[in-house]
Amino acid sequence: MTPGPVLRTVLRASAVALPAAAAVHAGPVLSTFGPLRNRVMPRLAGRGHHGHVALTFDDGPDHLSTPHFLRLLDARGLRATFFLLGSMAVRSPGLVREMSQAGHEIAVHGWAHRPLLLRGPRATHHDLARARDLVGDLTGTAPTLFRPPYGVMTGATHLACGRLGLTPVLWTAWGEDWRARATPTSVHDTVARDLRGGGTVLLHDSDCTSATGSWRNTLSALPRLLDTCERRGLTVGPLRDHRGPHPSGWRGGRGPRPSTG
């Protein structure tokens, strides 16, 4: 074959392969659409036992804000799941240890809060592995849960999670507490609108990627939100307590043993 036909063959193959590869990478982004996820992807959405609500926080730990949440939860006798950013955890290692020792479930949110849709398989794996290893070193327990920044999953993310022993978990209700226009009332009402037994609630204990000071709205909304759960007969706790007999087969944080790959 002369170089001309060879080049044309390669280009034709690329024209087919590149869109296919892009589709494989970006296809899981569909799970970002909450109603679809909640209906057909219950495990990814964090669906659990019908009498339980999993309380989760993203973007910490923040030495200025996270301790306020820890004190409030401790006063209520509750524990939660915190999805930590590696870039934040490395700044406050003592706080990470304190959270773990207090009985909270420590999970990972990646190292940097960047859209994984724009990152390839190698960069994605490195980001997750770096965060997982740091959290494991600080707490003495390898984390088993992962939540992607912006809730955007990709093919590369699923692959990295499988290799690292991480189970991706998104949410069924959120407070939109990162917005500059959010208020304690809006945070409560936005969560309450979609609050159901077996659901997973997403809030933020840090404003590192949110409107400045937004964590104060979340903190102020939290007591009322916990009261709402109590009135509805729902127990509140971390994802590890979210297990129960239901169609999704949810197993909480008991994922496969992390590999060293």
Coordinates of all heavy atoms in Angstrom, one line a residue, residues 62-74 95 205 215-216 219 222:
D62 N -12.6 22.4 55.7 CA -12.2 23.8 55.8 C -12.1 24.2 57.2 O -13.0 24.0 58.0 CB -13.3 24.7 55.1 CG -12.9 26.1 54.9 OD1 -12.3 26.7 55.9 OD2 -13.2 26.7 53.9
H63 N -10.9 24.6 57.6 CA -10.7 24.9 59.1 C -11.5 26.0 59.6 O -11.7 26.1 60.8 CB -9.2 25.2 59.3 CG -8.7 26.5 58.8 ND1 -8.5 26.7 57.4 CD2 -8.5 27.7 59.4 CE1 -8.1 27.9 57.2 NE2 -8.1 28.6 58.4
L64 N -12.1 26.8 58.7 CA -12.9 27.9 59.1 C -14.4 27.5 59.3 O -15.1 28.1 60.2 CB -12.8 29.1 58.1 CG -11.5 29.8 58.0 CD1 -11.6 30.8 56.9 CD2 -11.1 30.4 59.3
S65 N -14.8 26.6 58.5 CA -16.3 26.3 58.5 C -16.6 24.9 59.0 O -17.6 24.7 59.8 CB -16.9 26.4 57.1 OG -16.1 25.7 56.2
T66 N -15.8 23.9 58.7 CA -16.2 22.5 59.0 C -16.3 22.3 60.5 O -17.3 21.5 60.9 CB -15.1 21.5 58.4 OG1 -15.0 21.7 57.0 CG2 -15.4 20.1 58.8
P67 N -15.5 22.8 61.4 CA -15.7 22.6 62.8 C -17.1 23.0 63.3 O -17.6 22.4 64.3 CB -14.6 23.5 63.5 CG -13.5 23.5 62.4 CD -14.2 23.6 61.1
H68 N -17.7 24.0 62.7 CA -19.0 24.4 63.1 C -20.1 23.3 62.8 O -20.9 23.0 63.6 CB -19.5 25.7 62.4 CG -18.7 26.9 62.7 ND1 -18.9 27.6 63.9 CD2 -17.6 27.5 62.1 CE1 -18.0 28.6 64.0 NE2 -17.3 28.6 62.9
F69 N -19.9 22.7 61.7 CA -20.8 21.5 61.3 C -20.5 20.4 62.3 O -21.5 19.7 62.7 CB -20.5 21.1 59.9 CG -21.0 22.1 58.9 CD1 -20.2 23.2 58.5 CD2 -22.3 22.0 58.4 CE1 -20.7 24.1 57.6 CE2 -22.8 22.9 57.4 CZ -22.0 24.0 57.0
L70 N -19.3 20.1 62.6 CA -19.0 19.0 63.5 C -19.6 19.2 64.9 O -20.2 18.3 65.5 CB -17.5 18.8 63.6 CG -16.7 18.5 62.3 CD1 -15.2 18.4 62.6 CD2 -17.2 17.3 61.7
R71 N -19.5 20.4 65.4 CA -20.1 20.7 66.7 C -21.6 20.6 66.7 O -22.2 20.0 67.6 CB -19.7 22.1 67.1 CG -18.3 22.2 67.6 CD -18.0 23.5 68.3 NE -18.0 24.6 67.4 CZ -16.9 25.1 66.8 NH1 -15.7 24.5 67.0 NH2 -17.0 26.1 66.0
L72 N -22.3 21.0 65.6 CA -23.7 20.9 65.5 C -24.2 19.5 65.4 O -25.1 19.1 66.1 CB -24.2 21.7 64.3 CG -25.7 21.9 64.1 CD1 -26.0 23.1 63.2 CD2 -26.4 20.7 63.5
L73 N -23.5 18.7 64.6 CA -23.8 17.3 64.5 C -23.6 16.5 65.8 O -24.4 15.7 66.2 CB -23.0 16.7 63.3 CG -23.4 17.1 61.9 CD1 -22.4 16.6 60.9 CD2 -24.8 16.7 61.5
D74 N -22.5 16.9 66.4 CA -22.2 16.2 67.7 C -23.3 16.5 68.8 O -23.7 15.7 69.5 CB -20.8 16.7 68.2 CG -20.4 15.9 69.5 OD1 -20.3 14.7 69.4 OD2 -20.2 16.5 70.5
L95 N -7.6 18.2 61.1 CA -9.1 18.2 61.1 C -9.6 16.9 60.5 O -10.7 16.4 60.9 CB -9.5 19.4 60.3 CG -11.0 19.7 60.2 CD1 -11.7 19.7 61.5 CD2 -11.2 21.0 59.4
D205 N -19.9 21.9 53.3 CA -19.4 22.4 54.6 C -18.3 23.4 54.3 O -17.6 23.8 55.3 CB -18.9 21.3 55.5 CG -17.8 20.5 54.9 OD1 -17.9 20.0 53.7 OD2 -16.7 20.3 55.6
W215 N -21.5 28.8 53.2 CA -21.6 27.7 54.2 C -22.4 28.1 55.4 O -23.0 27.3 56.1 CB -20.2 27.3 54.7 CG -19.4 28.3 55.4 CD1 -18.5 29.2 54.9 CD2 -19.4 28.6 56.8 NE1 -17.9 30.0 55.9 CE2 -18.4 29.6 57.1 CE3 -20.1 28.0 57.9 CZ2 -18.2 30.1 58.3 CZ3 -19.8 28.5 59.2 CH2 -18.9 29.6 59.4
R216 N -22.5 29.4 55.7 CA -23.2 29.9 56.8 C -24.7 29.7 56.6 O -25.5 29.4 57.6 CB -23.0 31.4 57.1 CG -21.5 31.7 57.4 CD -21.3 33.2 57.7 NE -19.9 33.5 57.9 CZ -19.2 33.3 59.1 NH1 -19.9 32.9 60.2 NH2 -18.0 33.6 59.2
L219 N -25.2 26.0 57.3 CA -25.2 25.7 58.8 C -26.5 26.2 59.4 O -27.0 25.5 60.3 CB -24.0 26.4 59.4 CG -23.7 26.2 60.9 CD1 -23.3 24.7 61.1 CD2 -22.7 27.2 61.4
L222 N -29.4 23.7 58.6 CA -29.2 22.3 59.0 C -30.1 21.9 60.2 O -30.8 20.9 60.1 CB -27.8 22.0 59.4 CG -27.4 20.6 59.5 CD1 -27.9 19.7 58.4 CD2 -25.9 20.4 59.7

